[in-house]
Amino acid sequence: MRYVENSQSMSWHSGLGPFQNEENEENLKKEDLKYNIGMKFTEGMWLLREGIRIDWMSNVERLHIQDETVDLLLNKFQRHRGDTLNSPTVSARVTSPLEGIIGVKLVHWAGGLDKGPHYKLNTSSGHTKINHVAKQKLSYTSGDLELNINTAPNELDFVFSSADKGKLTGHSWRSIGYVGDQTTDKSRWDDGIFFERQGYMLAELDLGVGEKLYGLGERFGPFVKNGQRVDIWNEDGGTSSELAYKNIPFYISSKGYGVFVNNPGKVSLELQSERTTRVNISIPGEELEYFVVYGKTPKEIVGRYTALTGRPSLVPSWSYNLWLTTSFTTNYDEQTVTGFLDGFRNRDIPLGVFHFDCFWMKSYQWCDFEFDSEMFPDAGGYLARLKERGLRISAWINPYVGQASPLFQEGKEKGYFIKRTDGSVWQWDLWQAGMAIVDFTNPAACDWFVAHLRRLMDLGVDSFKTDFGERIPYKGIQYHDGSDPARMHNYYTLLFNKLVYETMTARYGPANSLLFARSSAPGGQAYPVHWGGDCESTYEAMAESLRGGLSLMLSGYIFWASDIGGFEGTPPPALYKRWVQFGLLSSHSRLHGSSSFRVPWIYGEDACAVLRDCVKRKILLTPYLLLEALRGHRQGIPLMRPMFLEFPDDLNTYPLDTQYMFGGNLLVAPVFSEDGSVTFYVPRTPEDGCGKWRSWFDHAKTYEPGQWYTETHGFDTLPILVRPGSVTPVNPKLKVPEGDALDGLELLVNGTLAADVEVEVVDSSKTHETLKTVRVSPSGDAVTVDDANVKVVCIHK
């Protein structure tokens, strides 16, 4: 048995009445801790946990149809009219916000106060059909997705299906219920007939044989989520734990659907970890809403999910260049930084962004938005000198204000901080001594925060690293707008990132704005970029970082980065070089550590050569990256793709988590071993017959679809394979990503094209616009292009 202590959430309760003793009370304390980290209500298939009761819905008492909404009243098994007494009901509302998406909202008691917040969802109408046969069934159709509800007496059953795939999921016997838990401090025996229980809404969705589940945000454990218990609750746990910075209550199934749970509070999911045939979704309180998202392909499912919760925003082209930080606790003085920058320039290693981490501000005063005058006596001049080198500037911030900060007293007096219920400022010493947290539900606090951001932007800051946002209290506090603190715990990071991002877009425009954010929630894809958080300097941590990134990419996000070399510890030279290879084949690439530098010559001059080659390769790929990002913005498809997302018809791709597609054309298999050995799978493609996969480094080296390969690589290569039947735009003349995309543009063609391919050339200064579209057409064994200024390179010849 595992116990996890959470200092914010411990609440002891004895439910034994007058017969309790110290030993029993201690056991209950441990049990309360156990239940605090999960919501398993059963003891096997037949029994419930002691102190738990579940009222299962078994019957449709009545229903009402109005426009595109169906309201049903569900109750327990009905033997006679007397069973309608002394028994709960659950109201079920069926809706369809967008075509191909059907939502079910289950409510036990509807009398509670709705304090918010709520995720913003996009909706439309006119795409549903409803067919009802009284006392038999109700059919609710949205596009290709259909929900059939059995309304015959005591035969309650929900089945989601599609014509091409049959049953997807649904509610079978005993799968919609209201849970009462009398083991918490809410239950008092001396309340008599008014005895209360902690309530939970419970919805159990069916799973089929062999069905696999993915997503749920940036999770660093096993990529396939079957058998896991997942709590959607943002925490700062690093990359080597079950906790996650970016919890997204959306999972995608190999069977052809996704499920989004529309609740910003704590959502617990038992993914075959309680009932082996179901996903159990439980939420404390009186209501639960979920949406089933259908798609003919995994891409279509992710695309529909982002249509519902918001399309990902684009980022400026300069952000694809290499980022350097002097790391967390290392020296930031100008002499040190200048020496590093000279080292990059002298070694011909391109560098695009310099980042100032926490200690650009004076200790104990984060955040006061002031450069430490002892370390930076001329901050404005310092930034100007960095920008003269062609660098963009990024600065670390968080939503906290330490008590020693000059801003603390001002924020306290003007009510800018989250408060306790007695009106005092909520404070603690974890991170910054006596720190308070800015209340972003207070418009005046937002204006105050924004004014300091603008002052830094006036100084020359181009981007902000919005760190933290997940250490947010939820007990004994109040927000300015009265929001529910438990629902605000996960939602808070959206307010933080949104405010900073929109402050930047107001100044720089969306084409030149981005964050480097650690925490997020549904809809956060509108405020890119996000990075993986604190990882160790090991091969295992690099692999878990990739798993986290791929899971996030299945949750609506298209951009992601990791701390190259690992954050904690100092990487051995071999690991540093392997992480450089991986990190420069991520959408964004930053050298960052905790107590040691990540400049390459510390790890040997050969590390400089590896970094130089990797950065230059990424820069020449800029036309390809900008095109794939634009498609991601339009369709929600990420740059770094799990293999099954691109090749859903190849069943071998579904468990793969140590390789990925970088866009639609390039397969990447990072090396996670000291000796350079790497094993990877080459998938079958719809383009089979168009040629063979080819090595990026040696075009004569080919790979057969449907085969496994094991290779050993030095530090100058790794498995990067070019897809058959593909056209990849590159530009070897580019020195920086924001350079002229047309001057030097080349199209790499591998194999025979099955049809015409249109390649959009994206404007590097306005990444949401295209400069032109080039058409490549098959012509026997060759290809033709409709623009004589564009060079075609057939790598299969």
Side-chain angles (χ1 to χ4, degrees):
M1 184 177 291
R2 174 175 51 107
Y3 303 115
V4 176
E5 180 174 324
N6 184 332
S7 60
Q8 295 185 65
S9 61
M10 284 190 290
S11 59
W12 308 129
H13 168 67
S14 171
L16 297 180
F19 302 105
Q20 66 191 30
N21 56 41
E22 291 184 4
E23 181 179 356
N24 287 332
E25 186 173 358
E26 184 62 28
N27 288 336
L28 282 170
K29 289 179 182 180
K30 293 180 179 179
E31 285 297 283
D32 195 45
L33 278 175
K34 172 186 174 184
Y35 302 147
N36 226 350
I37 62 170
M39 295 186 185
K40 288 187 178 181
F41 303 113
T42 62
E43 292 286 353
M45 185 170 181
W46 308 115
L47 302 177
L48 297 180
R49 241 185 45 219
E50 189 68 27
I52 297 293
R53 79 176 191 189
I54 303 178
D55 292 304
W56 295 110
M57 300 298 105
S58 301
N59 181 64
V60 177
E61 181 70 12
R62 63 180 68 96
L63 63 85
H64 175 68
I65 301 171
Q66 183 173 358
D67 299 326
E68 298 182 30
T69 300
V70 178
D71 288 303
L72 306 101
L73 183 65
L74 311 181
N75 55 5
K76 296 175 68 174
F77 191 91
Q78 299 296 298
R79 299 165 299 174
H80 47 70
R81 297 185 71 179
D83 284 339
T84 63
L85 303 176
N86 305 313
S87 180
T89 60
V90 169
S91 299
R93 169 164 288 185
V94 180
T95 58
S96 177
L98 296 174
E99 183 175 335
I101 302 176
I102 295 177
V104 177
K105 185 173 184 178
L106 304 170
V107 179
H108 174 232
W109 286 341
L113 297 177
D114 184 358
K115 298 181 179 181
H118 301 278
Y119 294 129
K120 179 183 177 182
L121 303 181
N122 298 312
T123 62
S124 65
S125 60
H127 52 266
T128 61
K129 296 179 182 179
I130 303 173
N131 182 33
H132 177 218
V133 180
K135 297 298 181 181
Q136 294 185 39
K137 69 174 183 177
L138 180 135
S139 175
Y140 188 101
T141 304
S142 174
D144 293 325
L145 179 62
E146 184 175 17
L147 169 59
N148 283 291
I149 303 176
N150 190 339
T151 62
N154 294 321
E155 295 292 339
L156 177 64
D157 189 46
F158 283 50
V159 176
F160 292 91
S161 63
S162 66
D164 60 331
K165 297 178 181 177
K167 179 179 176 179
L168 302 170
T169 188
H171 297 295
S172 50
W173 182 69
R174 286 193 172 185
S175 59
I176 297 176
Y178 181 72
V179 180
D181 182 355
Q182 68 185 49
T183 67
T184 75
D185 56 7
K186 188 173 184 178
S187 300
R188 308 299 305 180
W189 295 110
D190 53 5
D191 288 340
I193 64 169
F194 298 106
F195 178 90
E196 291 188 86
R197 297 173 175 84
Q198 172 61 53
Y200 301 87
M201 284 304 305
L202 174 62
E204 303 184 358
L205 290 169
D206 297 337
L207 290 175
V209 176
E211 187 173 347
K212 294 179 175 61
L213 306 172
Y214 306 87
L216 296 172
E218 183 191 44
R219 316 210 75 83
F220 303 104
F223 181 53
V224 180
K225 299 301 183 285
N226 300 62
Q228 299 182 46
R229 177 191 50 77
V230 173
D231 287 339
I232 303 298
W233 191 249
N234 285 359
E235 297 277 10
D236 176 12
T239 69
S240 58
S241 78
E242 65 177 343
L243 305 181
Y245 306 102
K246 309 168 190 68
N247 287 267
I248 312 295
F250 171 71
Y251 66 84
I252 185 170
S253 165
S254 62
K255 202 169 183 179
Y257 67 94
V259 174
F260 170 56
V261 184
N262 183 28
N263 190 301
K266 185 174 185 178
V267 178
S268 288
L269 299 103
E270 303 288 344
L271 301 113
Q272 280 192 311
S273 57
E274 182 173 24
R275 288 294 298 272
T276 60
T277 57
R278 292 178 181 172
V279 173
N280 292 4
I281 306 168
S282 54
I283 295 177
E286 305 297 315
E287 65 179 51
L288 184 158
E289 183 177 34
Y290 69 87
F291 295 93
V292 172
V293 183
Y294 171 73
K296 294 182 182 299
T297 66
K299 285 184 179 179
E300 190 174 324
I301 297 167
V302 174
R304 279 209 168 109
Y305 168 74
T306 58
L308 178 67
T309 59
R311 294 296 193 196
S313 297
L314 289 169
V315 296
S317 57
W318 54 260
S319 71
Y320 294 99
N321 209 335
L322 180 64
W323 296 48
L324 172 67
T325 165
T326 53
S327 301
F328 175 32
T329 59
T330 51
N331 194 355
Y332 284 37
D333 67 74
E334 186 167 2
Q335 181 179 359
T336 300
V337 172
T338 300
F340 287 162
L341 300 181
D342 288 343
F344 275 83
R345 182 176 58 190
N346 296 339
R347 291 169 174 84
D348 189 28
I349 302 173
L351 185 64
V353 183
F354 184 79
H355 170 71
F356 289 93
D357 218 56
C358 314
F359 278 99
W360 67 271
M361 292 176 284
K362 194 178 292 294
S363 60
Y364 295 108
Q365 295 187 188
W366 308 339
C367 279
D368 64 0
F369 304 99
E370 295 284 353
F371 276 85
D372 184 344
S373 58
E374 295 181 10
M375 185 70 70
F376 308 101
D378 177 23
Y382 183 17
L383 297 192
R385 289 187 287 275
L386 291 177
K387 296 177 86 69
E388 287 173 358
R389 291 174 172 261
L391 294 171
R392 304 279 181 160
I393 305 300
S394 169
W396 177 96
I397 60 172
N398 62 203
Y400 311 144
V401 178
Q403 185 169 286
S405 168
L407 300 183
F408 180 86
Q409 192 62 30
E410 179 185 358
K412 174 187 175 183
E413 292 173 356
K414 295 184 177 180
Y416 292 160
F417 300 137
I418 295 173
K419 296 179 181 178
R420 299 186 187 275
T421 52
D422 64 2
S424 63
V425 174
W426 186 92
Q427 293 179 263
W428 69 352
D429 289 333
L430 192 60
W431 187 241
Q432 291 289 283
M435 54 163 264
I437 302 178
V438 178
D439 183 350
F440 292 124
T441 73
N442 183 344
C446 292
D447 291 343
W448 177 65
F449 199 85
V450 165
H452 291 291
L453 297 179
R454 288 174 176 161
R455 179 167 50 79
L456 288 170
M457 293 162 69
D458 291 340
L459 203 62
V461 173
D462 299 285
S463 181
F464 293 100
K465 173 181 170 181
T466 50
D467 206 355
F468 288 85
E470 67 279 328
R471 290 186 182 180
I472 306 301
Y474 63 96
K475 285 192 174 184
I477 65 166
Q478 58 183 333
Y479 282 90
H480 175 82
D481 72 347
S483 289
D484 181 339
R487 293 172 69 92
M488 276 295 297
H489 173 81
N490 289 340
Y491 194 89
Y492 181 92
T493 185
L494 291 183
L495 297 181
F496 175 33
N497 288 329
K498 179 176 185 289
L499 182 69
V500 179
Y501 182 78
E502 292 183 347
T503 300
M504 297 178 61
T505 58
R507 171 71 64 86
Y508 301 134
N512 276 297
S513 300
L514 83 158
L515 310 175
F516 221 83
R518 186 169 77 171
S519 57
S520 195
Q525 60 267 20
Y527 319 117
V529 164
H530 296 82
W531 103 97
D534 299 347
C535 47
E536 298 170 327
S537 296
T538 65
Y539 287 103
E540 291 77 12
M542 185 168 70
E544 73 195 14
S545 294
L546 175 57
R547 293 196 300 269
L550 295 180
S551 291
L552 186 67
M553 297 299 98
L554 291 170
S555 305
Y557 292 71
I558 66 174
F559 301 117
W560 179 84
S562 61
D563 287 340
I564 294 176
F567 178 72
E568 294 290 352
T570 299
L575 172 63
Y576 177 87
K577 289 177 281 190
R578 294 304 184 191
W579 210 316
V580 161
Q581 292 180 320
F582 164 52
L584 269 299
L585 288 167
S586 303
S587 78
H588 287 76
S589 310
R590 185 182 66 159
L591 299 169
H592 182 57
S594 177
S595 57
S596 57
F597 297 117
R598 293 291 180 266
V599 291
W601 49 89
I602 291 177
Y603 306 93
E605 285 300 324
D606 60 330
C608 298
V610 173
L611 181 59
R612 177 174 54 250
D613 291 346
C614 290
V615 177
K616 289 188 174 183
R617 178 171 58 245
K618 188 177 182 185
I619 291 175
L620 74 85
L621 281 169
T622 298
Y624 173 67
L625 299 180
L626 295 182
L627 174 56
E628 293 292 334
L630 182 59
R631 290 171 175 167
H633 167 66
R634 294 168 177 167
Q635 305 169 14
I637 309 304
L639 265 72
M640 299 174 67
R641 302 173 190 173
M643 297 300 295
F644 80 84
L645 190 69
E646 192 67 36
F647 306 104
D649 294 331
D650 187 340
L651 298 182
N652 292 316
T653 64
Y654 282 84
L656 300 178
D657 61 4
T658 56
Q659 62 184 79
Y660 58 95
M661 292 298 294
F662 197 34
N665 294 353
L666 301 178
L667 185 157
V668 177
V671 178
F672 297 107
S673 64
E674 186 73 21
D675 63 2
S677 64
V678 53
T679 299
F680 56 96
Y681 175 74
V682 179
R684 300 181 178 92
T685 76
E687 299 83 19
D688 284 354
C690 292
K692 298 180 180 181
W693 293 80
R694 292 180 183 271
S695 167
W696 173 272
F697 299 97
D698 180 0
H699 298 161
K701 189 174 183 179
T702 61
Y703 299 84
E704 296 289 342
Q707 299 294 318
W708 284 89
Y709 292 86
T710 297
E711 298 179 344
T712 300
H713 284 259
F715 296 111
D716 55 340
T717 63
L718 74 160
I720 306 175
L721 278 57
V722 184
R723 183 175 183 166
S726 66
V727 180
T728 306
V730 299
N731 192 329
K733 289 184 66 175
L734 287 176
K735 301 300 182 183
V736 291
E738 60 269 33
D740 185 347
L742 293 173
D743 183 17
L745 179 67
E746 297 181 3
L747 301 180
L748 303 185
V749 178
N750 181 28
T752 305
L753 301 185
D756 288 358
V757 176
E758 290 189 344
V759 178
E760 293 180 82
V761 183
V762 178
D763 188 342
S764 59
S765 64
K766 300 176 182 178
T767 54
H768 58 289
E769 298 180 6
T770 57
L771 297 169
K772 63 165 47 179
T773 299
V774 180
R775 182 185 297 274
V776 185
S777 303
S779 178
D781 293 334
V783 297
T784 60
V785 62
D786 65 356
D787 189 329
N789 295 317
V790 177
K791 181 180 179 181
V792 175
V793 179
C794 293
I795 66 173
H796 56 281
K797 292 187 175 181

